[in-house]
Amino acid sequence: MSLTDPPQVVDCSIIPVFQVPNEGDVSILNVNDEENVVSEEKRRKKKKKQVSAPRPACSWVYFSREFIKEYSASHPESSGLKAATKAASDAWKLMSIEEKEKYTRRAREVWDNYLSTAPARIPKPRKQTKLVTRCSPGRLFNVLQRLTSEQKDAVKSMGFGSLLGLRCRTLRRSLCLWLLERFNTARRSLEICGERIPLSPRDVEHVMGLAARGKDVVNSGPDDLIADLRYIYNATNRGISVRLLEERLAAPEAGEDFKRSFILYALGTLLSPTARLDVSPSFLHFLINMDAVHQYNWGKFLLDRLVQEVSRFRQGKQRAVGGCLLFLQLFYYESISIEGAGSSASVAIPCLSSWGEEEITEREKRERELGGYGCGEVKSRSLYIIHAISMK
């Protein structure tokens, strides 16, 4: 550019301006960096959690996999998985319990192997300090007091005669909570007083008087088989009303309808209550043939349901604790020896009839004097063998 050329105006707006961040801007950058680190840490934890071993499949899954594979090979004209799955569902509903046994046994074997190899699950700490449960021995106790002699004979004929000796009307909730914290559902044991005490159907027989031998109780099957019973008991998706069963039990008759209503009521209020107030309609499946009720292994059923309900509670799937908590309470009294009242073995068999309100109150008082639950000693398991032999 020569000296005679006119001066050029330079547009300063196009010149990039570099700003040095002040102290406040630096703090904002640091906060963003920290948030990114936290988010990355959460993603890593979530990804690591997803790698855990999946839970075993149920019997329906094993059947459907096999059926769909064969169906797809024999029906090439069928398009997609939806039609094959629908056909598998229809076939499963028409199968008998005996036909399903192959898949049920396989699922049970895989599940047992899963429980034996999986590490013991550490229960999540719960903020709940009060026990919420539908297990109500007092409710059943009141119904038992109104039964006629014919109805009591009907109860005995079904194998539930031991419940007629029920004397306990209330649960000791503090004890039940203490026991639930020490209940290992994977190993089916109570870890108390420095020992691990296994639980078995024979213990249920010893404490509750329910048979620990016989056929497994199966509470599943085609819906059409129980359609009439669902109508009779006005069963909804929530279940069968406990109050409706109480009304039906108030009638003096002692026939098949009374027997079925009594078992439903006993299961829903004491032996196998769920988290809901109503009785599970799935129980109707094993009450179709009332002549076979006394042939079932009710001890195993009670223990299986207790483990299932406690597991669901610990997983956060329900707020209330289901299952027969009275069994855990009385099992503790019978298994742990303390000085003074209530320390000796029960004379009556089953133990259910040995523990009334007075005996339990005295036992609880002595527990507090010794410093709380778990201060006693575990009784010899040979006592159960002796009692089991005397029951036969």
Side-chain angles (χ1 to χ4, degrees), residues 175-328:
L175 171 58
C176 290
L177 272 175
W178 185 83
L179 291 172
L180 286 172
E181 293 173 355
R182 293 155 179 80
F183 186 18
N184 190 321
T185 54
R187 293 185 171 89
R188 299 194 173 202
S189 63
L190 284 173
E191 298 175 358
I192 53 179
C193 300
E195 295 190 29
R196 177 179 294 163
I197 309 176
L199 297 173
S200 68
R202 184 56 59 85
D203 293 314
V204 178
E205 184 177 29
H206 173 74
V207 175
M208 305 296 294
L210 302 179
R213 53 196 173 276
K215 300 186 297 184
D216 286 350
V217 180
V218 180
N219 60 322
S220 62
D223 293 337
D224 56 334
L225 293 182
I226 60 171
D228 293 339
L229 292 177
R230 289 181 65 97
Y231 177 79
I232 292 174
Y233 288 99
N234 194 25
T236 64
N237 291 334
R238 293 187 59 84
I240 302 172
S241 170
V242 171
R243 293 184 179 180
L244 172 65
L245 293 173
E246 287 178 346
E247 294 175 359
R248 299 179 74 92
L249 291 174
E253 70 94 16
E256 186 171 290
D257 181 70
F258 163 80
K259 293 180 179 180
R260 185 178 290 111
S261 298
F262 178 84
I263 294 180
L264 287 171
Y265 190 79
L267 291 171
T269 58
L270 177 65
L271 302 179
S272 184
T274 62
R276 296 181 175 180
L277 284 169
D278 299 326
V279 183
S280 173
S282 65
F283 294 160
L284 292 172
H285 285 287
F286 53 73
L287 297 178
I288 298 175
N289 181 13
M290 295 304 297
D291 294 333
V293 169
H294 68 283
Q295 302 174 4
Y296 292 133
N297 189 334
W298 291 106
K300 180 178 182 299
F301 178 76
L302 184 148
L303 184 58
D304 289 345
R305 294 284 298 190
L306 176 63
V307 170
Q308 174 184 327
E309 291 292 327
V310 174
S311 298
R312 288 178 60 85
F313 168 74
R314 288 182 175 171
Q315 293 166 7
K317 296 182 178 180
Q318 56 194 37
R319 181 169 175 264
V321 184
C324 187
L325 298 184
L326 180 64
F327 162 67
L328 282 184

Side-chain angles (χ1 to χ4, degrees), residues 72-88:
S72 300
S74 59
H75 296 75
E77 75 284 355
S78 178
S79 59
L81 186 62
K82 185 175 181 180
T85 304
K86 178 65 168 58

Side-chain angles (χ1 to χ4, degrees), residues 41-109:
E41 183 67 20
K42 288 183 178 179
R43 283 194 293 269
R44 282 201 302 266
K45 288 183 178 180
K46 186 175 181 181
K47 185 176 181 180
K48 184 177 180 180
K49 184 178 180 181
Q50 293 174 349
V51 179
S52 58
R55 293 166 63 87
C58 63
S59 55
W60 149 252
V61 174
Y62 289 112
F63 166 76
S64 61
R65 289 173 180 171
E66 181 179 303
F67 182 91
I68 292 174
K69 183 178 180 180
E70 297 177 356
Y71 183 89
S72 300
S74 59
H75 296 75
E77 75 284 355
S78 178
S79 59
L81 186 62
K82 185 175 181 180
T85 304
K86 178 65 168 58
S89 177
D90 294 339
W92 179 260
K93 292 178 181 179
L94 296 176
M95 291 173 63
S96 64
I97 296 177
E98 290 75 15
E99 293 173 326
K100 293 180 180 179
E101 178 62 24
K102 168 187 174 182
Y103 307 98
T104 303
R105 183 171 58 254
R106 181 180 177 185
R108 188 182 300 116
E109 291 173 353

Side-chain angles (χ1 to χ4, degrees), residues 27-43:
S27 63
I28 293 175
L29 292 174
N30 292 337
V31 170
N32 291 336
D33 290 341
E34 292 177 359
E35 291 179 351
N36 292 334
V37 171
V38 173
S39 299
E40 182 65 24
E41 183 67 20
K42 288 183 178 179
R43 283 194 293 269

